[in-house]
Amino acid sequence: MNLVCMVRHGETDANRNMIVQGRIDNPLNERGVAQAEAIAASFSAKGEAFDVVVSSPLRRAKATAEIIAARLGLAVELDPGFLERDFGDHDGKPIDADYARAVIENRIPRMERHEVLEERVFAALAALCARHPDKRILIVAHSHVIKAVLVRLLPKSEFHYASYLANCSANHLECRDGVFRVLDYNQTTQ
């Protein structure tokens, strides 16, 4: 069995200004660095240990992972399977009610479709667990990468693609015999 913790990267200026980032490679802002340091300290305080740290290659995720991994004394493995969703025509545009509706309805032009995103993320998760059997794995990724997991595994009435997922929130899963189950989600240190 694998225990997996998926952490959303720390805040960027685009997050603060409610702009869709998608594959735009933005860095963490000062608050994002502090959030990464806080969740690393929280893991240490709770005695939550990991054997492997994996990150999306985008700067905001990689920097968050490096801050956490340094505290844990681990290296960071990059995995493009955890890249943020391609938001097509909405990259760089505001997050608002129209955007939320369009995302839920899967109708943004050239956006990576829900089913494609979910297949990509679950394939990356399954491969990662197969490479590291019976290990505790920390993955630093992006909002919609984590949402792809939660949307598929939680009741539709509980979670959807426009649900809020905090920066540096922890989302715990277990993988037993190739079957994933959500243990908790959107856990923050604030």
Side-chain angles (χ1 to χ4, degrees), residues 81 85 106 112-126 144-153 156 160-161:
R85 177 181 220 162
N106 211 15
E112 186 176 16
R113 311 293 295 168
H114 296 335
E115 55 278 6
V116 173
L117 172 66
E118 291 167 24
E119 287 303 315
R120 171 172 64 87
V121 172
F122 274 92
L125 272 173
H144 277 248
V145 169
I146 299 167
K147 286 180 180 184
V149 173
L150 299 176
V151 163
R152 188 177 277 188
L153 298 178
K156 290 184 186 346
H160 53 76
Y161 279 106

PDB file of all heavy atoms in Angstrom, residues 81 85 106 112-126 144-153 156 160-161:
ATOM      1  N   GLY A  81       3.927  14.175 -15.739  1.00  0.00           N
ATOM      2  CA  GLY A  81       2.552  13.695 -15.613  1.00  0.00           C
ATOM      3  C   GLY A  81       1.724  14.549 -14.673  1.00  0.00           C
ATOM      4  O   GLY A  81       0.491  14.500 -14.704  1.00  0.00           O
ATOM      5  N   ARG A  85      -3.077  21.518 -15.800  1.00  0.00           N
ATOM      6  CA  ARG A  85      -3.988  21.406 -16.938  1.00  0.00           C
ATOM      7  C   ARG A  85      -3.687  22.506 -17.949  1.00  0.00           C
ATOM      8  O   ARG A  85      -3.355  23.631 -17.579  1.00  0.00           O
ATOM      9  CB  ARG A  85      -5.411  21.575 -16.409  1.00  0.00           C
ATOM     10  CG  ARG A  85      -6.470  21.566 -17.449  1.00  0.00           C
ATOM     11  CD  ARG A  85      -7.842  21.771 -16.813  1.00  0.00           C
ATOM     12  NE  ARG A  85      -8.798  20.909 -17.466  1.00  0.00           N
ATOM     13  CZ  ARG A  85      -9.966  20.575 -16.962  1.00  0.00           C
ATOM     14  NH1 ARG A  85     -10.339  21.030 -15.771  1.00  0.00           N
ATOM     15  NH2 ARG A  85     -10.772  19.787 -17.626  1.00  0.00           N
ATOM     16  N   ASN A 106     -16.899  21.893 -19.019  1.00  0.00           N
ATOM     17  CA  ASN A 106     -15.888  21.307 -19.905  1.00  0.00           C
ATOM     18  C   ASN A 106     -15.936  21.933 -21.297  1.00  0.00           C
ATOM     19  O   ASN A 106     -15.802  21.239 -22.300  1.00  0.00           O
ATOM     20  CB  ASN A 106     -16.117  19.785 -19.987  1.00  0.00           C
ATOM     21  CG  ASN A 106     -14.841  18.990 -20.188  1.00  0.00           C
ATOM     22  OD1 ASN A 106     -13.736  19.486 -20.014  1.00  0.00           O
ATOM     23  ND2 ASN A 106     -15.000  17.739 -20.557  1.00  0.00           N
ATOM     24  N   GLU A 112      -7.651  21.257 -22.001  1.00  0.00           N
ATOM     25  CA  GLU A 112      -7.518  19.816 -21.798  1.00  0.00           C
ATOM     26  C   GLU A 112      -8.823  19.320 -21.152  1.00  0.00           C
ATOM     27  O   GLU A 112      -9.209  19.783 -20.078  1.00  0.00           O
ATOM     28  CB  GLU A 112      -6.320  19.550 -20.878  1.00  0.00           C
ATOM     29  CG  GLU A 112      -5.970  18.110 -20.691  1.00  0.00           C
ATOM     30  CD  GLU A 112      -4.709  17.929 -19.842  1.00  0.00           C
ATOM     31  OE1 GLU A 112      -4.273  18.880 -19.159  1.00  0.00           O
ATOM     32  OE2 GLU A 112      -4.168  16.810 -19.859  1.00  0.00           O
ATOM     33  N   ARG A 113      -9.499  18.426 -21.810  1.00  0.00           N
ATOM     34  CA  ARG A 113     -10.810  17.943 -21.378  1.00  0.00           C
ATOM     35  C   ARG A 113     -10.698  17.210 -20.035  1.00  0.00           C
ATOM     36  O   ARG A 113      -9.659  16.622 -19.727  1.00  0.00           O
ATOM     37  CB  ARG A 113     -11.410  17.008 -22.428  1.00  0.00           C
ATOM     38  CG  ARG A 113     -11.379  17.521 -23.854  1.00  0.00           C
ATOM     39  CD  ARG A 113     -12.233  18.707 -24.120  1.00  0.00           C
ATOM     40  NE  ARG A 113     -13.652  18.335 -23.942  1.00  0.00           N
ATOM     41  CZ  ARG A 113     -14.625  19.218 -23.886  1.00  0.00           C
ATOM     42  NH1 ARG A 113     -14.374  20.493 -23.962  1.00  0.00           N
ATOM     43  NH2 ARG A 113     -15.862  18.813 -23.739  1.00  0.00           N
ATOM     44  N   HIS A 114     -11.787  17.218 -19.256  1.00  0.00           N
ATOM     45  CA  HIS A 114     -11.789  16.549 -17.950  1.00  0.00           C
ATOM     46  C   HIS A 114     -11.275  15.112 -18.044  1.00  0.00           C
ATOM     47  O   HIS A 114     -10.411  14.696 -17.280  1.00  0.00           O
ATOM     48  CB  HIS A 114     -13.204  16.482 -17.353  1.00  0.00           C
ATOM     49  CG  HIS A 114     -13.841  17.784 -17.034  1.00  0.00           C
ATOM     50  ND1 HIS A 114     -13.151  18.939 -16.773  1.00  0.00           N
ATOM     51  CD2 HIS A 114     -15.157  18.109 -16.922  1.00  0.00           C
ATOM     52  CE1 HIS A 114     -13.989  19.923 -16.509  1.00  0.00           C
ATOM     53  NE2 HIS A 114     -15.226  19.443 -16.608  1.00  0.00           N
ATOM     54  N   GLU A 115     -11.848  14.362 -18.995  1.00  0.00           N
ATOM     55  CA  GLU A 115     -11.509  12.939 -19.085  1.00  0.00           C
ATOM     56  C   GLU A 115     -10.047  12.725 -19.469  1.00  0.00           C
ATOM     57  O   GLU A 115      -9.398  11.784 -18.992  1.00  0.00           O
ATOM     58  CB  GLU A 115     -12.459  12.212 -20.059  1.00  0.00           C
ATOM     59  CG  GLU A 115     -12.535  12.795 -21.450  1.00  0.00           C
ATOM     60  CD  GLU A 115     -13.465  14.014 -21.636  1.00  0.00           C
ATOM     61  OE1 GLU A 115     -14.026  14.547 -20.661  1.00  0.00           O
ATOM     62  OE2 GLU A 115     -13.596  14.448 -22.792  1.00  0.00           O
ATOM     63  N   VAL A 116      -9.497  13.612 -20.290  1.00  0.00           N
ATOM     64  CA  VAL A 116      -8.081  13.509 -20.691  1.00  0.00           C
ATOM     65  C   VAL A 116      -7.185  13.841 -19.500  1.00  0.00           C
ATOM     66  O   VAL A 116      -6.208  13.133 -19.218  1.00  0.00           O
ATOM     67  CB  VAL A 116      -7.796  14.433 -21.900  1.00  0.00           C
ATOM     68  CG1 VAL A 116      -6.311  14.472 -22.226  1.00  0.00           C
ATOM     69  CG2 VAL A 116      -8.616  13.996 -23.110  1.00  0.00           C
ATOM     70  N   LEU A 117      -7.514  14.909 -18.795  1.00  0.00           N
ATOM     71  CA  LEU A 117      -6.766  15.300 -17.594  1.00  0.00           C
ATOM     72  C   LEU A 117      -6.779  14.172 -16.564  1.00  0.00           C
ATOM     73  O   LEU A 117      -5.727  13.792 -16.036  1.00  0.00           O
ATOM     74  CB  LEU A 117      -7.377  16.569 -16.993  1.00  0.00           C
ATOM     75  CG  LEU A 117      -6.848  17.005 -15.629  1.00  0.00           C
ATOM     76  CD1 LEU A 117      -5.383  17.428 -15.722  1.00  0.00           C
ATOM     77  CD2 LEU A 117      -7.708  18.134 -15.066  1.00  0.00           C
ATOM     78  N   GLU A 118      -7.960  13.631 -16.282  1.00  0.00           N
ATOM     79  CA  GLU A 118      -8.071  12.581 -15.277  1.00  0.00           C
ATOM     80  C   GLU A 118      -7.273  11.337 -15.673  1.00  0.00           C
ATOM     81  O   GLU A 118      -6.575  10.760 -14.839  1.00  0.00           O
ATOM     82  CB  GLU A 118      -9.543  12.236 -15.036  1.00  0.00           C
ATOM     83  CG  GLU A 118     -10.282  13.369 -14.337  1.00  0.00           C
ATOM     84  CD  GLU A 118     -11.798  13.222 -14.356  1.00  0.00           C
ATOM     85  OE1 GLU A 118     -12.301  12.083 -14.492  1.00  0.00           O
ATOM     86  OE2 GLU A 118     -12.481  14.258 -14.236  1.00  0.00           O
ATOM     87  N   GLU A 119      -7.345  10.945 -16.926  1.00  0.00           N
ATOM     88  CA  GLU A 119      -6.571   9.781 -17.378  1.00  0.00           C
ATOM     89  C   GLU A 119      -5.075  10.028 -17.233  1.00  0.00           C
ATOM     90  O   GLU A 119      -4.336   9.152 -16.774  1.00  0.00           O
ATOM     91  CB  GLU A 119      -6.915   9.423 -18.827  1.00  0.00           C
ATOM     92  CG  GLU A 119      -8.269   8.777 -18.987  1.00  0.00           C
ATOM     93  CD  GLU A 119      -8.448   7.516 -18.157  1.00  0.00           C
ATOM     94  OE1 GLU A 119      -7.532   6.667 -18.131  1.00  0.00           O
ATOM     95  OE2 GLU A 119      -9.518   7.385 -17.517  1.00  0.00           O
ATOM     96  N   ARG A 120      -4.618  11.216 -17.600  1.00  0.00           N
ATOM     97  CA  ARG A 120      -3.192  11.557 -17.493  1.00  0.00           C
ATOM     98  C   ARG A 120      -2.727  11.500 -16.041  1.00  0.00           C
ATOM     99  O   ARG A 120      -1.696  10.905 -15.715  1.00  0.00           O
ATOM    100  CB  ARG A 120      -2.943  12.946 -18.084  1.00  0.00           C
ATOM    101  CG  ARG A 120      -1.536  13.471 -17.822  1.00  0.00           C
ATOM    102  CD  ARG A 120      -1.236  14.753 -18.568  1.00  0.00           C
ATOM    103  NE  ARG A 120      -2.008  15.911 -18.216  1.00  0.00           N
ATOM    104  CZ  ARG A 120      -1.704  16.759 -17.223  1.00  0.00           C
ATOM    105  NH1 ARG A 120      -0.653  16.539 -16.430  1.00  0.00           N
ATOM    106  NH2 ARG A 120      -2.448  17.823 -17.005  1.00  0.00           N
ATOM    107  N   VAL A 121      -3.498  12.123 -15.152  1.00  0.00           N
ATOM    108  CA  VAL A 121      -3.094  12.196 -13.748  1.00  0.00           C
ATOM    109  C   VAL A 121      -3.123  10.816 -13.094  1.00  0.00           C
ATOM    110  O   VAL A 121      -2.190  10.436 -12.382  1.00  0.00           O
ATOM    111  CB  VAL A 121      -3.969  13.209 -12.982  1.00  0.00           C
ATOM    112  CG1 VAL A 121      -3.695  13.149 -11.486  1.00  0.00           C
ATOM    113  CG2 VAL A 121      -3.727  14.624 -13.521  1.00  0.00           C
ATOM    114  N   PHE A 122      -4.180  10.041 -13.359  1.00  0.00           N
ATOM    115  CA  PHE A 122      -4.240   8.712 -12.751  1.00  0.00           C
ATOM    116  C   PHE A 122      -3.166   7.785 -13.317  1.00  0.00           C
ATOM    117  O   PHE A 122      -2.629   6.941 -12.592  1.00  0.00           O
ATOM    118  CB  PHE A 122      -5.643   8.106 -12.852  1.00  0.00           C
ATOM    119  CG  PHE A 122      -6.524   8.530 -11.716  1.00  0.00           C
ATOM    120  CD1 PHE A 122      -7.339   9.646 -11.826  1.00  0.00           C
ATOM    121  CD2 PHE A 122      -6.499   7.851 -10.511  1.00  0.00           C
ATOM    122  CE1 PHE A 122      -8.128  10.055 -10.771  1.00  0.00           C
ATOM    123  CE2 PHE A 122      -7.286   8.250  -9.442  1.00  0.00           C
ATOM    124  CZ  PHE A 122      -8.108   9.363  -9.574  1.00  0.00           C
ATOM    125  N   ALA A 123      -2.827   7.932 -14.580  1.00  0.00           N
ATOM    126  CA  ALA A 123      -1.727   7.137 -15.149  1.00  0.00           C
ATOM    127  C   ALA A 123      -0.416   7.495 -14.457  1.00  0.00           C
ATOM    128  O   ALA A 123       0.388   6.613 -14.115  1.00  0.00           O
ATOM    129  CB  ALA A 123      -1.626   7.359 -16.654  1.00  0.00           C
ATOM    130  N   ALA A 124      -0.180   8.792 -14.231  1.00  0.00           N
ATOM    131  CA  ALA A 124       1.043   9.233 -13.551  1.00  0.00           C
ATOM    132  C   ALA A 124       1.065   8.726 -12.110  1.00  0.00           C
ATOM    133  O   ALA A 124       2.107   8.267 -11.613  1.00  0.00           O
ATOM    134  CB  ALA A 124       1.157  10.754 -13.591  1.00  0.00           C
ATOM    135  N   LEU A 125      -0.074   8.791 -11.423  1.00  0.00           N
ATOM    136  CA  LEU A 125      -0.155   8.288 -10.042  1.00  0.00           C
ATOM    137  C   LEU A 125       0.126   6.787  -9.977  1.00  0.00           C
ATOM    138  O   LEU A 125       0.892   6.332  -9.123  1.00  0.00           O
ATOM    139  CB  LEU A 125      -1.550   8.549  -9.474  1.00  0.00           C
ATOM    140  CG  LEU A 125      -1.811   9.873  -8.787  1.00  0.00           C
ATOM    141  CD1 LEU A 125      -3.295  10.004  -8.458  1.00  0.00           C
ATOM    142  CD2 LEU A 125      -0.969  10.028  -7.535  1.00  0.00           C
ATOM    143  N   ALA A 126      -0.512   6.031 -10.860  1.00  0.00           N
ATOM    144  CA  ALA A 126      -0.326   4.575 -10.865  1.00  0.00           C
ATOM    145  C   ALA A 126       1.130   4.211 -11.153  1.00  0.00           C
ATOM    146  O   ALA A 126       1.707   3.335 -10.489  1.00  0.00           O
ATOM    147  CB  ALA A 126      -1.257   3.928 -11.887  1.00  0.00           C
ATOM    148  N   HIS A 144      -5.743  21.896 -10.582  1.00  0.00           N
ATOM    149  CA  HIS A 144      -6.572  20.995 -11.385  1.00  0.00           C
ATOM    150  C   HIS A 144      -6.012  19.580 -11.475  1.00  0.00           C
ATOM    151  O   HIS A 144      -6.771  18.643 -11.717  1.00  0.00           O
ATOM    152  CB  HIS A 144      -6.867  21.594 -12.762  1.00  0.00           C
ATOM    153  CG  HIS A 144      -8.012  22.544 -12.703  1.00  0.00           C
ATOM    154  ND1 HIS A 144      -9.219  22.300 -13.301  1.00  0.00           N
ATOM    155  CD2 HIS A 144      -8.152  23.733 -12.056  1.00  0.00           C
ATOM    156  CE1 HIS A 144     -10.046  23.304 -13.052  1.00  0.00           C
ATOM    157  NE2 HIS A 144      -9.415  24.181 -12.293  1.00  0.00           N
ATOM    158  N   VAL A 145      -4.733  19.409 -11.234  1.00  0.00           N
ATOM    159  CA  VAL A 145      -4.174  18.052 -11.158  1.00  0.00           C
ATOM    160  C   VAL A 145      -4.763  17.346  -9.934  1.00  0.00           C
ATOM    161  O   VAL A 145      -5.233  16.211 -10.015  1.00  0.00           O
ATOM    162  CB  VAL A 145      -2.631  18.098 -11.095  1.00  0.00           C
ATOM    163  CG1 VAL A 145      -2.047  16.739 -10.747  1.00  0.00           C
ATOM    164  CG2 VAL A 145      -2.073  18.605 -12.419  1.00  0.00           C
ATOM    165  N   ILE A 146      -4.770  18.048  -8.813  1.00  0.00           N
ATOM    166  CA  ILE A 146      -5.332  17.478  -7.580  1.00  0.00           C
ATOM    167  C   ILE A 146      -6.849  17.349  -7.705  1.00  0.00           C
ATOM    168  O   ILE A 146      -7.434  16.338  -7.297  1.00  0.00           O
ATOM    169  CB  ILE A 146      -4.912  18.321  -6.360  1.00  0.00           C
ATOM    170  CG1 ILE A 146      -3.384  18.314  -6.223  1.00  0.00           C
ATOM    171  CG2 ILE A 146      -5.588  17.810  -5.089  1.00  0.00           C
ATOM    172  CD1 ILE A 146      -2.824  19.342  -5.269  1.00  0.00           C
ATOM    173  N   LYS A 147      -7.480  18.346  -8.299  1.00  0.00           N
ATOM    174  CA  LYS A 147      -8.936  18.283  -8.494  1.00  0.00           C
ATOM    175  C   LYS A 147      -9.326  17.097  -9.367  1.00  0.00           C
ATOM    176  O   LYS A 147     -10.377  16.481  -9.142  1.00  0.00           O
ATOM    177  CB  LYS A 147      -9.455  19.582  -9.112  1.00  0.00           C
ATOM    178  CG  LYS A 147      -9.487  20.735  -8.135  1.00  0.00           C
ATOM    179  CD  LYS A 147     -10.009  22.007  -8.799  1.00  0.00           C
ATOM    180  CE  LYS A 147     -10.040  23.150  -7.804  1.00  0.00           C
ATOM    181  NZ  LYS A 147     -10.638  24.375  -8.391  1.00  0.00           N
ATOM    182  N   ALA A 148      -8.512  16.743 -10.344  1.00  0.00           N
ATOM    183  CA  ALA A 148      -8.813  15.588 -11.198  1.00  0.00           C
ATOM    184  C   ALA A 148      -8.963  14.325 -10.353  1.00  0.00           C
ATOM    185  O   ALA A 148      -9.835  13.491 -10.611  1.00  0.00           O
ATOM    186  CB  ALA A 148      -7.718  15.396 -12.250  1.00  0.00           C
ATOM    187  N   VAL A 149      -8.135  14.203  -9.326  1.00  0.00           N
ATOM    188  CA  VAL A 149      -8.198  13.053  -8.432  1.00  0.00           C
ATOM    189  C   VAL A 149      -9.447  13.139  -7.548  1.00  0.00           C
ATOM    190  O   VAL A 149     -10.220  12.184  -7.433  1.00  0.00           O
ATOM    191  CB  VAL A 149      -6.918  12.972  -7.560  1.00  0.00           C
ATOM    192  CG1 VAL A 149      -7.026  11.886  -6.515  1.00  0.00           C
ATOM    193  CG2 VAL A 149      -5.697  12.768  -8.455  1.00  0.00           C
ATOM    194  N   LEU A 150      -9.648  14.304  -6.942  1.00  0.00           N
ATOM    195  CA  LEU A 150     -10.768  14.469  -6.020  1.00  0.00           C
ATOM    196  C   LEU A 150     -12.111  14.355  -6.730  1.00  0.00           C
ATOM    197  O   LEU A 150     -13.051  13.737  -6.208  1.00  0.00           O
ATOM    198  CB  LEU A 150     -10.651  15.805  -5.285  1.00  0.00           C
ATOM    199  CG  LEU A 150      -9.386  15.974  -4.432  1.00  0.00           C
ATOM    200  CD1 LEU A 150      -9.331  17.364  -3.827  1.00  0.00           C
ATOM    201  CD2 LEU A 150      -9.292  14.903  -3.359  1.00  0.00           C
ATOM    202  N   VAL A 151     -12.212  14.930  -7.932  1.00  0.00           N
ATOM    203  CA  VAL A 151     -13.455  14.859  -8.694  1.00  0.00           C
ATOM    204  C   VAL A 151     -13.815  13.407  -9.010  1.00  0.00           C
ATOM    205  O   VAL A 151     -14.976  13.009  -8.929  1.00  0.00           O
ATOM    206  CB  VAL A 151     -13.348  15.703  -9.994  1.00  0.00           C
ATOM    207  CG1 VAL A 151     -14.415  15.347 -10.999  1.00  0.00           C
ATOM    208  CG2 VAL A 151     -13.405  17.184  -9.666  1.00  0.00           C
ATOM    209  N   ARG A 152     -12.814  12.627  -9.361  1.00  0.00           N
ATOM    210  CA  ARG A 152     -13.085  11.234  -9.728  1.00  0.00           C
ATOM    211  C   ARG A 152     -13.406  10.368  -8.506  1.00  0.00           C
ATOM    212  O   ARG A 152     -14.210   9.439  -8.591  1.00  0.00           O
ATOM    213  CB  ARG A 152     -11.902  10.626 -10.474  1.00  0.00           C
ATOM    214  CG  ARG A 152     -12.270   9.237 -11.019  1.00  0.00           C
ATOM    215  CD  ARG A 152     -11.192   8.602 -11.813  1.00  0.00           C
ATOM    216  NE  ARG A 152     -11.183   9.049 -13.193  1.00  0.00           N
ATOM    217  CZ  ARG A 152     -10.414   8.504 -14.123  1.00  0.00           C
ATOM    218  NH1 ARG A 152      -9.600   7.510 -13.812  1.00  0.00           N
ATOM    219  NH2 ARG A 152     -10.437   8.953 -15.356  1.00  0.00           N
ATOM    220  N   LEU A 153     -12.803  10.672  -7.358  1.00  0.00           N
ATOM    221  CA  LEU A 153     -12.938   9.790  -6.200  1.00  0.00           C
ATOM    222  C   LEU A 153     -14.000  10.214  -5.177  1.00  0.00           C
ATOM    223  O   LEU A 153     -14.446   9.387  -4.385  1.00  0.00           O
ATOM    224  CB  LEU A 153     -11.592   9.646  -5.487  1.00  0.00           C
ATOM    225  CG  LEU A 153     -10.462   9.023  -6.306  1.00  0.00           C
ATOM    226  CD1 LEU A 153      -9.175   8.989  -5.489  1.00  0.00           C
ATOM    227  CD2 LEU A 153     -10.833   7.626  -6.784  1.00  0.00           C
ATOM    228  N   LYS A 156     -19.951  13.687  -6.512  1.00  0.00           N
ATOM    229  CA  LYS A 156     -20.079  14.910  -7.312  1.00  0.00           C
ATOM    230  C   LYS A 156     -20.697  16.060  -6.513  1.00  0.00           C
ATOM    231  O   LYS A 156     -20.390  17.217  -6.752  1.00  0.00           O
ATOM    232  CB  LYS A 156     -20.912  14.635  -8.571  1.00  0.00           C
ATOM    233  CG  LYS A 156     -20.189  13.756  -9.567  1.00  0.00           C
ATOM    234  CD  LYS A 156     -20.980  13.572 -10.837  1.00  0.00           C
ATOM    235  CE  LYS A 156     -20.387  12.602 -11.820  1.00  0.00           C
ATOM    236  NZ  LYS A 156     -19.064  12.177 -11.679  1.00  0.00           N
ATOM    237  N   HIS A 160     -16.116  19.476  -7.149  1.00  0.00           N
ATOM    238  CA  HIS A 160     -16.133  19.617  -8.611  1.00  0.00           C
ATOM    239  C   HIS A 160     -14.977  20.523  -9.031  1.00  0.00           C
ATOM    240  O   HIS A 160     -14.234  21.030  -8.184  1.00  0.00           O
ATOM    241  CB  HIS A 160     -17.488  20.139  -9.108  1.00  0.00           C
ATOM    242  CG  HIS A 160     -17.933  21.392  -8.423  1.00  0.00           C
ATOM    243  ND1 HIS A 160     -17.400  22.625  -8.694  1.00  0.00           N
ATOM    244  CD2 HIS A 160     -18.863  21.594  -7.456  1.00  0.00           C
ATOM    245  CE1 HIS A 160     -17.973  23.551  -7.946  1.00  0.00           C
ATOM    246  NE2 HIS A 160     -18.855  22.942  -7.181  1.00  0.00           N
ATOM    247  N   TYR A 161     -14.830  20.728 -10.329  1.00  0.00           N
ATOM    248  CA  TYR A 161     -13.665  21.472 -10.836  1.00  0.00           C
ATOM    249  C   TYR A 161     -13.638  22.949 -10.449  1.00  0.00           C
ATOM    250  O   TYR A 161     -12.595  23.583 -10.556  1.00  0.00           O
ATOM    251  CB  TYR A 161     -13.531  21.304 -12.350  1.00  0.00           C
ATOM    252  CG  TYR A 161     -12.860  20.000 -12.723  1.00  0.00           C
ATOM    253  CD1 TYR A 161     -13.591  18.945 -13.244  1.00  0.00           C
ATOM    254  CD2 TYR A 161     -11.502  19.815 -12.514  1.00  0.00           C
ATOM    255  CE1 TYR A 161     -12.978  17.747 -13.577  1.00  0.00           C
ATOM    256  CE2 TYR A 161     -10.881  18.629 -12.835  1.00  0.00           C
ATOM    257  CZ  TYR A 161     -11.620  17.598 -13.360  1.00  0.00           C
ATOM    258  OH  TYR A 161     -11.009  16.414 -13.668  1.00  0.00           O
TER     259      TYR A 161
END
